[in-house]
Amino acid sequence: MAATTEKKVVPVTEKSIDPASQQMLEKARQEGISTMFDRADVMKPCPIGREGMCCKHCFMGPCRMVGKDKEEMVGICGATAATIAARGVARYVAAGTAAHSDHGRDLAFTLRAVAKGEAQGFKIKDVKKLVQVARIMGINVDGRKTEEIALDVADEAIANFGRQTGELTYVRRAPKKRQALWKKYGITPRGVDREVVELMHRTGMGVDQDPDSILTSALKTSLTDGWGGAMLATDISDILFGTPAPVKANVNLGVLKADEVNIIVHGHEPTLSMMIVAAAEAPEIVEHAKSKGAKGINLAGICCTANEILVRQGISSAGNFLNQELAIISGSVEAMIVDVQCVAEALATTVKKFHTKLITTSPKAKITGATHIEYDEHRAMDIAKEIVKLAIDNYPNRKEYAIPQFKTDVIVGFSHEYIKYMQGGTYRGSFRPLNDAIMDGRIMGVVGMVGCNNPRLCQDKYNVDLVKKFISHDILVVTTGCAAVAFGKTGYLTPEMMDAAGPGLKEVCEAIGIPPVLHMGSCVDNSRILTVLTEMAEEGGLSDDIGGMPGVGICAEWMHEKALAIGVYFAASGVPVIFGGDSIVEGSTKVQKIMRDTWFERFKGSLEFLPDPEQIFSRTIELITNARKALKLKDYESGKFAKEKVLLDMAARREIEKKQREEALAGA
């Protein structure tokens, strides 16, 4: 009789380090509910495509490069492994750039509607930021009404998408040295749509067949995201909803409430989610909830919509990308409202087992089986109230539920404006203290940790393992997106975590009163990191360009095309970048060298893939150490600083500000 074998069930502790996720995974398994975590075990990846060695850009193929000598193989048209791998990277970048930039386009049109008085419920909340952006764009602001300025800003933003010649408006925000480098290598971007379309054309069968040329074009296209669509999206969000400043909230599935209507917003568009927040606070809506037996309305977020309302409104986050199914599996969610990007189609199946309503809102993103209520900024508040009422009416249908009792305090909302302020106050804000701390050796360097979750990796483990090591080695971490939520769930977004930092970083954190890990917003807000790096360069003393600074970008648990677009625009901007997990160009040594070595020689930025946290950490230390040597900074040694300096604490800054106010009044 033949022996039988059973499929090994991977323990939930190997699927996630988050106890709330583990609890919901166990519940899902007991109830026979499929999740991304378990489907990743069943759906094995194609090993050929995983290495970037499958070309399906025409129907002569797909052509697959297999075996030990794949670098010597060619496809039916003659395309080499390097050409195929480069085309694959480039198409990732084109798609990711399109996603982030389309987000910015929608916000620009919303700003235009607000300026014309056509957007229900919206107003301009940060006039100072509007004026600042207008001046960067070269728009006259003197003696003009706010609405007039806003209309011109919106029109200039919209023009960046269709521009055929010239340069993106925000190219002028980059350091002069960086702008010159982009011109030297021909990668100064024109319009967003122009570059995305051209890159898609280049990577079609029979067009660009030089890997270096293809990847150079990918660099150019990615810049329209980082210095175009994404940066515009961040600025316009600040104008409409307010520029973030530190706020306290909670993170994880424990933010769901047993006696309130639980509504989750999920996706990436802030316009509807901000209006949902306002609608849920309307007195008549709250009374409607109480009439159904609920004590109130509890709003929470998933993914980057969560980060948008978290940093601006202090609305708690129920988790990152891999928490979306688990929130529904708790049985306590009345409605999940989704828009675009990172929304799993499986949600439509999951909600069938519970009372939860899945509501799609974007004309670009419908899901079979979901309720579709299309968002329109001209009727924003009416639509938001309709959706919230639908969730309230569903509250009496809640049956058995199990809310994990895990949630963590977080301090979030570190915009680049606030980071500048916190180093010197209103009148003396600058990036000089940060530059000095790096030059003195109190801070070894800066790491930006961004990106997604990936169910093929243990949820949050790569990110958390790395952040522990970085802060203990006096490396300041700035973070966005789902990585930021991972740090929130594990306590790293609180000032108390400075006790886990090295002595130099701890001293800086104590003096300023900040966590060693700074939450800067959603994944589109990576542009804030570019702005910080630019201001550090302009401040002087450390480096006159982004390239060459002791900093590294890391996307440890990535899965989305947007993440690759972000990584590439950081490389083009002068930052070495490391992605975790398998390499998408593993099959081509030539392409790996171009992205790691050639890009670094030209731009002081690079992109490489390393499979585990230990290798990522070691490589990061190597890159930061090399950068410090190139800048002729003293060798970093924990606890030993180049020269003693007294860092300004909050009391000292207040005293300085008080003196300056007194002098200003005396002068008046």
Side-chain angles (χ1 to χ4, degrees):
M1 186 174 180
T4 59
T5 59
E6 293 185 5
K7 178 177 173 55
K8 179 184 176 183
V9 177
V10 180
V12 296
T13 52
E14 295 180 22
K15 289 294 183 179
S16 175
I17 64 169
D18 172 22
S21 295
Q22 292 170 2
Q23 183 180 333
M24 289 298 95
L25 273 173
E26 288 285 13
K27 183 175 185 290
R29 288 177 174 180
Q30 290 167 9
E31 297 177 12
I33 300 170
S34 173
T35 68
M36 284 186 276
F37 293 88
D38 290 329
R39 288 194 295 273
D41 291 332
V42 176
M43 181 66 68
K44 298 298 182 184
C46 168
I48 303 166
R50 193 83 168 164
E51 293 184 350
M53 291 292 98
C54 179
C55 180
K56 51 182 181 179
H57 299 165
C58 78
F59 205 57
M60 289 189 288
C63 294
R64 304 178 301 160
M65 304 301 184
V66 296
K68 295 180 180 179
D69 300 322
K70 47 182 162 281
E71 289 269 29
E72 307 301 321
M73 295 178 64
V74 296
I76 291 172
C77 72
T80 63
T83 298
I84 289 170
R87 284 173 175 168
V89 170
R91 290 209 165 196
Y92 267 122
V93 170
T97 298
H100 263 167
S101 297
D102 209 30
H103 172 93
R105 187 200 318 264
D106 286 343
L107 280 162
F109 276 106
T110 297
L111 178 61
R112 195 173 198 281
V114 172
K116 297 179 73 175
E118 298 173 352
Q120 184 190 51
F122 287 101
K123 64 179 182 179
I124 293 168
K125 288 193 174 180
D126 194 336
V127 177
K128 182 180 177 181
K129 184 69 176 269
L130 172 67
V131 170
Q132 177 191 10
V133 169
R135 285 177 172 152
I136 292 170
M137 291 179 167
I139 294 168
N140 179 41
V141 299
D142 296 333
R144 303 183 70 200
K145 293 181 179 179
T146 298
E147 291 76 17
E148 293 173 341
I149 299 169
L151 185 60
D152 283 354
V153 167
D155 286 341
E156 178 62 22
I158 292 165
N160 276 263
F161 293 90
R163 184 165 290 148
Q164 301 300 304
T165 58
E167 299 177 355
L168 285 179
T169 303
Y170 277 176
V171 163
R172 69 190 66 162
R173 296 183 71 173
K176 298 294 184 186
K177 196 170 184 179
R178 182 63 25 182
Q179 293 180 47
L181 205 56
W182 289 341
K183 286 180 180 177
K184 176 182 177 180
Y185 288 102
I187 64 169
T188 304
R190 296 161 293 186
V192 176
D193 298 346
R194 173 75 192 262
E195 304 303 353
V196 170
V197 169
E198 183 172 303
L199 186 56
M200 290 301 291
H201 179 198
R202 278 178 180 268
T203 54
M205 184 270 153
V207 190
D208 199 342
Q209 297 163 52
D210 179 278
D212 189 12
S213 175
I214 293 167
L215 292 169
T216 299
S217 183
L219 287 166
K220 186 176 185 179
T221 300
S222 74
L223 288 172
T224 68
D225 180 5
W227 297 87
M231 193 172 282
L232 287 165
T234 292
D235 281 350
I236 294 171
S237 292
D238 288 351
I239 290 166
L240 290 174
F241 312 122
T243 301
V247 62
K248 185 176 180 180
N250 297 112
V251 167
N252 216 337
L253 292 169
V255 304
L256 299 173
K257 295 183 179 179
D259 54 4
E260 295 189 19
V261 176
N262 289 312
I263 300 174
I264 287 184
V265 291
H266 171 28
H268 286 75
E269 299 283 7
T271 48
L272 175 59
S273 59
M274 293 294 178
M275 204 54 62
I276 293 287
V277 173
E281 294 172 349
E284 73 274 18
I285 299 296
V286 174
E287 284 304 313
H288 184 57
K290 290 179 179 178
S291 74
K292 298 293 181 179
K295 285 189 177 180
I297 301 167
N298 179 44
L299 190 64
I302 290 281
C303 226
C304 275
T305 293
N307 284 316
E308 293 282 5
I309 61 175
L310 178 66
V311 299
R312 290 192 171 87
Q313 304 289 339
I315 301 295
S316 293
S317 167
N320 40 20
F321 171 71
L322 285 176
N323 284 81
Q324 59 186 289
E325 293 169 303
L326 306 183
I328 293 171
I329 291 168
S330 75
S332 64
V333 176
E334 275 61 61
M336 181 173 281
I337 305 158
V338 303
D339 46 61
V340 296
Q341 301 174 26
C342 301
V343 178
E345 187 174 351
L347 293 176
T349 301
T350 306
V351 296
K352 291 178 181 178
K353 300 180 183 294
F354 301 92
H355 76 298
T356 308
K357 297 283 187 184
L358 178 64
I359 302 170
T360 56
T361 59
S362 172
K364 304 169 191 173
K366 297 181 180 180
I367 301 175
T368 302
T371 300
H372 188 72
I373 302 176
E374 196 154 304
Y375 170 70
D376 177 358
E377 64 263 28
H378 300 91
R379 297 180 49 250
M381 181 56 79
D382 291 342
I383 293 168
K385 286 184 176 180
E386 177 187 351
I387 291 171
V388 174
K389 284 181 179 179
L390 185 64
I392 292 170
D393 291 340
N394 194 30
Y395 178 75
N397 296 321
R398 188 192 295 181
K399 298 176 183 176
E400 293 183 3
Y401 60 89
I403 299 174
Q405 297 303 300
F406 298 98
K407 63 180 180 181
T408 309
D409 289 341
V410 294
I411 304 294
V412 302
F414 291 91
S415 59
H416 64 267
E417 289 92 343
Y418 192 85
I419 294 174
K420 186 174 183 178
Y421 161 78
M422 75 188 187
Q423 294 180 78
T426 303
Y427 300 98
R428 294 172 62 88
S430 78
F431 280 86
R432 189 72 195 196
L434 178 57
N435 285 7
D436 284 347
I438 293 172
M439 290 186 288
D440 295 343
R442 286 179 169 83
I443 294 178
M444 183 183 184
V446 179
V447 163
M449 295 193 68
V450 305
C452 325
N453 292 142
N454 189 322
R456 298 200 181 280
L457 304 174
C458 183
Q459 182 192 21
D460 300 339
K461 181 174 171 53
Y462 274 40
N463 282 317
V464 174
D465 283 356
L466 284 165
V467 85
K468 286 179 184 177
K469 287 177 174 286
F470 288 142
I471 67 171
S472 70
H473 283 72
D474 295 310
I475 294 174
L476 177 69
V477 175
V478 294
T479 183
T480 65
C482 286
V485 177
F487 302 140
K489 287 191 280 184
T490 47
Y492 284 90
L493 302 183
T494 58
E496 291 77 12
M497 194 54 74
M498 69 176 70
D499 289 337
L505 178 58
K506 182 178 180 180
E507 180 186 345
V508 173
C509 291
E510 286 177 335
I512 301 175
I514 59 170
V517 183
L518 302 179
H519 187 315
M520 298 189 72
S522 68
C523 58
V524 77
D525 291 328
N526 284 304
S527 58
R528 294 194 198 278
I529 301 175
L530 291 177
T531 305
V532 167
L533 293 172
T534 298
E535 294 207 28
M536 288 173 67
E538 291 176 349
E539 185 66 42
L542 181 62
S543 172
D544 59 357
D545 185 23
I546 296 173
M549 285 189 181
V552 176
I554 294 174
C555 193
E557 299 180 25
W558 79 287
M559 64 86 194
H560 202 285
E561 298 152 322
K562 296 176 298 178
L564 200 63
I566 293 165
V568 173
Y569 75 61
F570 266 94
S573 300
V575 180
V577 177
I578 304 171
F579 274 54
D582 296 338
S583 170
I584 61 170
V585 292
E586 183 66 29
S588 174
T589 302
K590 183 174 183 179
V591 168
Q592 292 176 55
K593 287 182 177 179
I594 292 172
M595 296 172 69
R596 185 189 62 223
D597 302 334
T598 305
W599 285 3
F600 191 83
E601 289 169 9
R602 294 172 182 168
F603 305 107
K604 297 297 182 186
S606 58
L607 196 150
E608 57 189 296
F609 299 84
L610 294 173
D612 66 70
E614 284 295 335
Q615 289 175 287
I616 295 172
F617 175 75
S618 296
R619 178 61 172 154
T620 301
I621 296 298
E622 179 186 1
L623 288 164
I624 289 176
T625 300
N626 290 343
R628 292 184 66 87
K629 288 179 179 177
L631 291 170
K632 296 181 169 56
L633 303 179
K634 184 176 180 180
D635 290 346
Y636 165 81
E637 187 176 350
S638 179
K640 295 185 179 180
F641 311 129
K643 49 188 172 179
E644 289 301 319
K645 286 193 176 182
V646 177
L647 297 177
L648 289 177
D649 60 15
M650 289 299 295
R653 288 207 305 276
R654 290 192 189 102
E655 191 62 34
I656 290 170
E657 289 182 18
K658 179 182 177 183
K659 184 177 179 180
Q660 288 176 330
R661 284 195 296 270
E662 290 172 350
E663 290 174 351
L665 288 170

